[in-house]
């Protein structure tokens, strides 16, 4: 009796192997991205920092005459700190902070109007609360509530834009309200993350290759004060 020939071992075509590797990389990248956003409920997809549109509004919050510190790393996933400054991270929201100066970095690949409400949403999604005087307060803002301090018969909430009262409140659009510029150099609050070519910031606002049309030096102040 003749013994049957052994079956030859079939080789997997090289293009099938490459396709498998490609799919594995894509799936792994998606899993990594989703991992970075785990625990966050950000309103926008995380982006790498881009400079097509990049402006630096300056926000101050004052409660009964006391300045409130706006924390660093709002809107940054897995921030990497250097000397207390969030220099890097795995991804960034279009609205984020690198330090505690009150400078908001507004960055986008396209010309998108971002609002003060969206900044507070990202702040809340990052930290969920703020501790003032040993007490946790919600991260909220409207014409009746700032950080849990509510307007009542004895107190009011005032939004000042460039020193003038504004009725926009949480719908205030931030993009036309840049504060920093090269002329301000490395002076607070623009330093150390938005203070011009000598530092690590962008200096003048970037507006897709053309001159920023709204001027600089704008200020935003939210005040909770006596209604008297």
């Amino acid at each position: 009796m003749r013994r049957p020939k052994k079956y030859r071992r079939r080789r997997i075509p090289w293009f099938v192997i490459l396709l498998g590797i490609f799919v594995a990389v894509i799936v792994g990248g998606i899993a990594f991205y989703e991992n970075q956003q785990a625990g966050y409920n950000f309103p926008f997809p995380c982006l790498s920092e881009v400079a097509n549109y990049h402006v630096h509004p300056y926000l101050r919050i004052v409660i009964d005459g006391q300045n409130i510190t706006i924390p660093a790393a709002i809107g940054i996933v897995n921030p990497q700190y250097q000397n207390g400054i969030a220099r890097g991270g795995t991804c960034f929201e279009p609205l984020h902070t690198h330090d505690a100066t009150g400078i908001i970095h507004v960055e986008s690949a396209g010309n998108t109007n971002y609002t003060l409400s969206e900044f507070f949403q990202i702040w809340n999604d990052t930290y969920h609360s703020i501790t003032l005087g040993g007490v946790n307060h919600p991260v909220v803002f409207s014409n009746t509530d700032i950080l849990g301090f509510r307007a009542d018969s004895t107190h009011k909430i005032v939004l000042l834009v460039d020193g003038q009262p504004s009725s926009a409140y949480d719908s205030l659009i931030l993009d036309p309200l840049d504060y920093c510029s090269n002329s301000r150099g490395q002076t607070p609050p623009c330093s150390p993350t938005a203070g011009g070519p000598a530092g690590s910031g962008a200096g003048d606002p970037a507006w897709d290759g053309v001159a920023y049309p709204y001027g600089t030096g704008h200020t935003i102040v939210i005040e909770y004060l006596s209604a008297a």
Side-chain angles (χ1 to χ4, degrees):
M1 297 281 295
R2 294 181 63 186
R3 297 179 64 184
K5 293 182 179 180
K6 291 183 179 178
Y7 288 106
R8 289 188 179 178
R9 205 169 161 188
R10 293 184 179 178
R11 293 184 177 179
I12 301 174
W14 63 267
F15 65 86
V16 174
I17 296 173
L18 289 179
L19 179 62
I21 294 172
F22 177 76
V23 170
V25 169
I26 295 296
V27 171
I30 292 172
F32 176 80
Y33 173 80
E34 291 177 345
N35 232 10
Q36 302 313 307
Q37 289 191 295
Y40 295 86
N41 188 32
F42 286 147
F44 306 103
C46 285
L47 304 171
S48 298
E49 289 192 292
V50 292
N52 296 49
Y53 294 89
H54 189 172
V55 299
H56 302 111
Y58 176 35
L59 174 64
R60 291 177 57 227
I61 300 174
V62 184
I63 306 293
D64 286 332
Q66 178 184 356
N67 283 303
I68 304 301
T69 299
I70 299 170
I74 292 171
I76 300 179
V77 179
N78 297 326
Q80 300 166 12
Y81 289 95
Q82 295 179 11
N83 300 320
I85 299 168
R87 295 287 188 183
T90 52
C91 56
F92 297 77
E93 280 290 275
L95 307 172
H96 58 268
T97 63
H98 288 279
D99 52 36
T101 61
I103 293 294
I104 303 170
H105 291 246
V106 180
E107 303 179 19
S108 178
N111 189 358
T112 304
N113 288 327
Y114 296 104
T115 65
L116 200 50
S117 173
E118 289 166 336
F119 174 70
F120 272 85
Q121 182 180 349
I122 293 169
W123 181 357
N124 178 67
D125 291 339
T126 307
Y127 291 111
H128 308 302
S129 65
I130 182 172
T131 303
L132 302 174
V135 178
N136 286 341
H137 288 256
V139 180
V140 294
F141 173 54
S142 68
N143 62 340
T144 61
D145 192 345
I146 174 63
L147 303 179
F149 293 88
R150 298 188 61 83
D152 54 27
S153 59
T154 60
H155 289 84
K156 61 183 177 180
I157 297 170
V158 177
L159 174 65
L160 301 174
V161 178
D162 297 338
Q164 299 299 314
S166 170
S167 61
Y169 287 96
D170 52 339
S171 63
L172 180 71
I173 296 175
L174 298 175
D175 302 61
L177 296 175
D178 183 272
Y179 179 81
C180 296
S181 63
N182 286 339
S183 63
R184 284 183 171 78
Q186 291 297 294
T187 57
C190 296
S191 63
T193 62
S200 59
D204 286 337
W207 204 250
D208 201 24
V210 299
Y212 182 67
Y214 304 109
T216 61
H218 301 286
T219 57
I220 306 165
V221 181
I222 301 170
E223 282 193 283
Y224 178 80
L225 69 167
S226 172

